[in-house]
Amino acid sequence: MRVLWICMLIAGGLLLGIALIALQPTSPIGPVLASAPLSDPVVPVITAERFLRPGAGMFPGVLGVHPVSGEVWVCRNGGWMTLQGAELRSIQPGSCDIGFHAQTPRWFRAEGRSVVIMSGTTPVGQVTLPYTVTGIVLHPRTQLLYVTMQSVPYPPISTHLAVITGTTVLTIASTPSAGPLAPHPESGDVYVGVNSYGPNPEVWILSGTQRVGTFTMTGMLRWIEYHPYSRLTYVGSQGELKVLNGRTVLASLAVTGTFDFAPDPDSERAYLTHLSPDWITVLSRTEVITRVPFPQGDNPIAVIPRTGEIVAGAFFSQQIHVFSRDLTLLNVISMPVRPRQIFPHEDGWVYVVGWGDSLGGSLPSDLLVLSRTVPVAEYPNGFGLGSLARSPDGRLYVLDLFTGRFDVLSGTEVVTSTAFLPWSYPILLPQERRLEADPGTGWAYVALPWSVWLWIWQGEGWLTRSLPSGISVLRADPHHGVIFGGKDSYYVDEIYAITGTEIFSLPIEGGLAGPVRDLAVDPAHGYLYVGGIGQVAVLSLTTPVTTSPWLTTVIGMYPLRALAAHPGTGRAYVGSGLGPTGTLWILSGSTPVISIGVEGVPVALATDPGGPWVYVALSGTQRVAVLSGTDRVATVTLPFEPLRIWVSPRSGLAYVAGETQVAVLRGPQVWTQLTTGIYPRDMVFDPERGIAVLSHEGDNRLVWIEERALTRRLWLPLILRGR
């Protein structure tokens, strides 16, 4: 038996080796890795991650408390975060259209046109629907899942409702302009707002899949809330407030302009804030018992369980007011942003989320955690990581252009963090490459938006150099020992060549409509491609590079979306277009070679420096076109929209990033797929160590990926160990 077991183990090892060899696609260029035989496939493996200044994320909102773990889940653009008390536990990428199961670890999340059923971290089921999922509500009594969907892309308004039990779709109904959806936890009914944004919206009462009641409101419908103590349901619109007992309307009150509603879970009281009257209305069942002066606005409000303390946000003054149950003001807390939502936990924690500020910016965000009336933790922003660069000694440079910080890492540890001063939050996150490193000296160069200064990091501090005009994009040319800078101007009549601390001008005859969108360097054939709004200027790189002349300008590429040069073939690839179709232009130096119409807009391009491949991300199609020279070899379909592409110079693997996922391609073959973080932004490679580092704009996450060669050494010890 022992001999038989050893033989079977050897045979299994041989079969595994054959399978792994078969995974490796053939390459007409040569070895995939300098340090690995062609027969050894390369597998990217996430080995480490680190968050720089984790925070609330873009446009945060509290989802609720997980019924099993007790963690508070806070949605953010591209994912969610979990907290236990005041402690941040995790930040997760993915859809935050989520519903919880009341008695089990199961929860539900949206994924495009599907609802994925999760048990802990494991998917255990999936329901496919005809339209994009926009919201999920689980009825705690009936365990029916109510899913709102959107059948048209614009405007983002829910139009259909699906009712699901288990993985079975019971019905799909048309619910035009569906708005608030609230379950009645005792009766099993569900209230659904329909035509919510019109002058006379309706509220449908559903029992299971059947509509059992309808009533009309006056003015735009704002919210539907169940009061857990009085067991009444309150419906607020612009023109009135209705109070229901089950399916019966008890009262219609002339309480107008309401914004938010907060029931007291330990009494029959409820509190309302208003858009126009400057007070807080206090209700007891169907009666208004008093009003408390309070600034008008989009003011959130909540009641802390057990203590009955009221926490109200003053939107315009960016403050939190805390009142006792007898309406005495206890505390006023300032916030750096405008409060949008207040969520009280039964253990006395209060979570206040907000975004936007009085200066007009919509992106600054904050999560403030109170222990009853006292602030104990704060998580501002938590997004904005952009470009990466690597010094010759392996140090990683990281640029955050939202909070205005520059970090230097050795391995995964931050060794230097410095701020750009003065600084103000940008209205939009800059998308250009504004950080570059000199591969000879290791100096880092930073071009800040809306600035006419170039910042140079020499290892211990900053030098600044004034510029005739700001720089929109930086690109290194290691072959000529220079950093090129694209002009951030409506008219581009020159390009900057930066060596050390000196800045030289390379003229562009006739100029370009700017600003410069991207730069591509072909050092082997001596070309620099400068992409403007709709043209590409071509310069011939000479020695010294500071005398490089302009050759020509190719027009007709409006709007230019992406630009890349292939060092092996000497061709440049340009993506342009609007709407459902785009164009891929191929240049050879100053000569246009061909233009190819493509379905989708080519928003990202990358070339394989050691192989023939050119990768084109086609926005709106969930596809990547793969070219070899001028030939379109294949079109690869992905389960997400491709937004950015990078190619490893060591392995030749192409990393195609979407909002939260990265597909790894080798030519026309999909190698694997990784879930890395929220909004991957930039990637740099360490070819000697086989390491790639990926930054994430949406959650300030850095991810280290090792490109491992699966050699026979990995399974041969398993065979020998059986002896």
Side-chain angles (χ1 to χ4, degrees):
M1 287 297 294
R2 178 178 175 83
V3 173
L4 178 62
W5 181 84
I6 292 174
C7 292
M8 292 176 63
L9 186 60
I10 293 174
L14 292 174
L15 289 173
L16 176 62
I18 295 171
L20 289 171
I21 292 173
L23 284 173
Q24 175 67 51
T26 58
S27 170
I29 296 301
V32 174
L33 295 177
S35 59
L38 180 64
S39 59
D40 295 334
V42 178
V43 178
V45 179
I46 296 175
T47 58
E49 69 174 19
R50 184 185 182 93
F51 291 92
L52 300 182
R53 297 171 294 278
M58 287 184 279
F59 310 117
V62 180
L63 177 68
V65 179
H66 194 283
V68 176
S69 69
E71 293 178 329
V72 174
W73 288 37
V74 180
C75 292
R76 53 195 286 161
N77 261 22
W80 69 92
M81 59 194 291
T82 63
L83 296 99
Q84 192 83 50
E87 180 188 354
L88 175 59
R89 288 293 184 88
S90 69
I91 300 176
Q92 304 293 337
S95 168
C96 202
D97 291 318
I98 293 172
F100 294 127
H101 195 288
Q103 286 86 31
T104 74
R106 291 198 175 188
W107 54 285
F108 310 86
R109 63 179 175 85
E111 193 172 280
R113 296 185 175 185
S114 298
V115 173
V116 180
I117 304 170
M118 306 289 294
S119 179
T121 60
T122 305
V124 294
Q126 183 168 321
V127 181
T128 301
L129 297 165
Y131 310 118
T132 302
V133 176
T134 57
I136 301 173
V137 173
L138 179 74
H139 198 294
R141 182 172 181 270
T142 66
Q143 298 299 309
L144 293 178
L145 201 63
Y146 292 83
V147 179
T148 55
M149 297 175 289
Q150 177 182 324
S151 60
V152 293
Y154 299 103
I157 296 175
S158 302
T159 58
H160 288 74
L161 179 70
V163 183
I164 301 170
T165 178
T167 58
T168 303
V169 179
L170 300 179
T171 188
I172 294 177
S174 174
T175 50
S177 298
L181 192 154
H184 191 292
E186 296 182 352
S187 70
D189 288 348
V190 171
Y191 305 92
V192 183
V194 179
N195 295 316
S196 302
Y197 308 99
N200 299 110
E202 294 181 342
V203 174
W204 293 356
I205 304 175
L206 305 181
S207 177
T209 62
Q210 303 298 314
R211 195 201 312 185
V212 294
T214 302
F215 59 90
T216 303
M217 299 293 293
T218 302
M220 187 172 70
L221 185 63
R222 295 197 175 274
W223 45 265
I224 304 174
E225 296 282 350
Y226 174 78
H227 196 303
Y229 190 90
S230 67
R231 301 179 182 178
L232 301 178
T233 301
Y234 293 79
V235 183
S237 69
Q238 184 65 30
E240 64 176 325
L241 173 69
K242 277 189 168 66
V243 185
L244 284 79
N245 183 8
R247 301 173 185 176
T248 303
V249 177
L250 296 181
S252 181
L253 308 179
V255 179
T256 62
T258 58
F259 178 78
D260 201 5
F261 173 89
D264 184 342
D266 303 302
S267 78
E268 293 185 338
R269 280 192 176 189
Y271 304 86
L272 296 94
T273 58
H274 299 265
L275 292 167
S276 49
D278 50 357
W279 57 62
I280 294 173
T281 299
V282 185
L283 296 174
S284 178
R285 296 184 65 85
T286 62
E287 296 183 7
V288 176
I289 58 176
T290 189
R291 290 186 172 95
V292 180
F294 197 76
Q296 64 184 12
D298 300 356
N299 300 326
I301 191 168
V303 179
I304 302 176
R306 299 188 179 95
T307 69
E309 291 157 328
I310 303 103
V311 184
F315 180 83
F316 291 111
S317 60
Q318 298 180 194
Q319 293 178 328
I320 303 300
H321 295 237
V322 183
F323 300 88
S324 65
R325 178 169 276 167
D326 63 5
L327 303 176
T328 301
L329 182 63
L330 301 177
N331 198 3
V332 177
I333 305 161
S334 295
M335 287 191 74
V337 298
R338 290 174 167 168
R340 307 275 181 162
Q341 183 189 10
I342 301 172
F343 182 84
H345 193 281
E346 62 181 11
D347 292 336
W349 300 104
V350 181
Y351 303 87
V352 184
V353 294
W355 68 87
D357 55 29
S358 59
L359 300 177
S362 61
L363 288 181
S365 64
D366 195 38
L367 168 60
L368 182 65
V369 185
L370 312 180
S371 177
R372 289 187 51 231
T373 64
V374 180
V376 293
E378 189 171 16
Y379 299 95
N381 299 316
F383 59 91
L385 284 195
S387 301
L388 303 176
R390 180 181 169 272
S391 69
D393 63 359
R395 297 205 171 196
L396 180 69
Y397 300 133
V398 185
L399 184 61
D400 180 340
L401 282 182
F402 185 72
T403 57
R405 297 199 67 89
F406 174 80
D407 297 281
V408 183
L409 283 80
S410 177
T412 60
E413 298 301 317
V414 176
V415 295
T416 300
S417 183
T418 181
F420 299 103
L421 297 173
W423 185 260
S424 59
Y425 294 131
I427 296 175
L428 298 173
L429 288 175
Q431 296 298 301
E432 306 87 359
R433 181 172 184 79
R434 294 178 174 270
L435 168 67
E436 195 56 278
D438 187 319
T441 65
W443 294 0
Y445 296 81
V446 176
L448 299 180
W450 312 288
S451 171
V452 291
W453 295 92
L454 178 68
W455 295 66
I456 305 173
W457 176 262
Q458 295 181 308
E460 296 182 353
W462 292 103
L463 292 177
T464 56
R465 290 292 182 266
S466 63
L467 300 162
S469 175
I471 291 177
S472 59
V473 60
L474 293 168
R475 189 71 66 179
D477 179 0
H479 182 80
H480 294 93
V482 67
I483 306 288
F484 291 111
K487 201 170 181 180
D488 191 2
S489 173
Y490 291 110
Y491 179 69
V492 180
D493 57 355
E494 60 184 344
I495 200 79
Y496 299 124
I498 307 162
T499 60
T501 61
E502 296 184 276
I503 302 171
F504 300 91
S505 173
L506 305 180
I508 298 175
E509 292 186 19
L512 296 174
V516 173
R517 292 287 187 89
D518 206 350
L519 299 167
V521 183
D522 179 7
H525 300 84
Y527 292 113
L528 171 64
Y529 300 91
V530 183
I533 293 295
Q535 310 124 301
V536 172
V538 186
L539 284 77
S540 177
L541 299 179
T542 61
T543 303
V545 73
T546 54
T547 62
S548 300
W550 168 85
L551 296 178
T552 189
T553 297
V554 183
I555 63 173
M557 303 172 175
Y558 182 84
L560 189 143
R561 298 302 190 104
L563 173 64
H566 196 295
T569 64
R571 296 187 178 95
Y573 297 80
V574 185
S576 68
L578 285 171
T581 60
T583 304
L584 182 65
W585 310 77
I586 303 177
L587 312 178
S588 180
S590 59
T591 304
V593 176
I594 193 173
S595 63
I596 304 171
V598 292
E599 181 183 353
V601 178
V603 294
L605 286 159
T607 63
D608 181 357
W613 310 117
V614 179
Y615 301 90
V616 187
L618 301 176
S619 176
T621 66
Q622 295 190 353
R623 294 176 179 174
V624 173
V626 183
L627 284 77
S628 177
T630 61
D631 298 324
R632 185 167 175 173
V633 176
T635 302
V636 180
T637 300
L638 302 175
F640 57 84
E641 284 291 332
L643 301 175
R644 302 179 188 275
I645 308 177
W646 308 272
V647 178
S648 169
R650 182 176 190 259
S651 67
L653 296 179
Y655 294 83
V656 183
E659 291 187 352
T660 60
Q661 296 175 303
V662 176
V664 185
L665 277 64
R666 177 62 175 164
Q669 295 184 342
V670 178
W671 211 251
T672 188
Q673 186 171 307
L674 307 172
T675 299
T676 59
I678 302 174
Y679 301 143
R681 177 64 174 80
D682 197 14
M683 180 176 268
V684 293
F685 299 92
D686 183 343
E688 294 181 0
R689 299 171 56 218
I691 298 292
V693 185
L694 180 63
S695 69
H696 293 81
E697 184 177 79
D699 57 11
N700 281 1
R701 185 190 322 233
L702 295 171
V703 172
W704 281 260
I705 301 172
E706 181 183 346
E707 298 183 330
R708 293 179 179 173
L710 291 181
T711 66
R712 283 181 291 274
R713 291 188 299 272
L714 292 177
W715 62 78
L716 187 58
L718 297 177
I719 299 174
L720 298 177
R721 197 175 297 133
R723 293 184 175 274

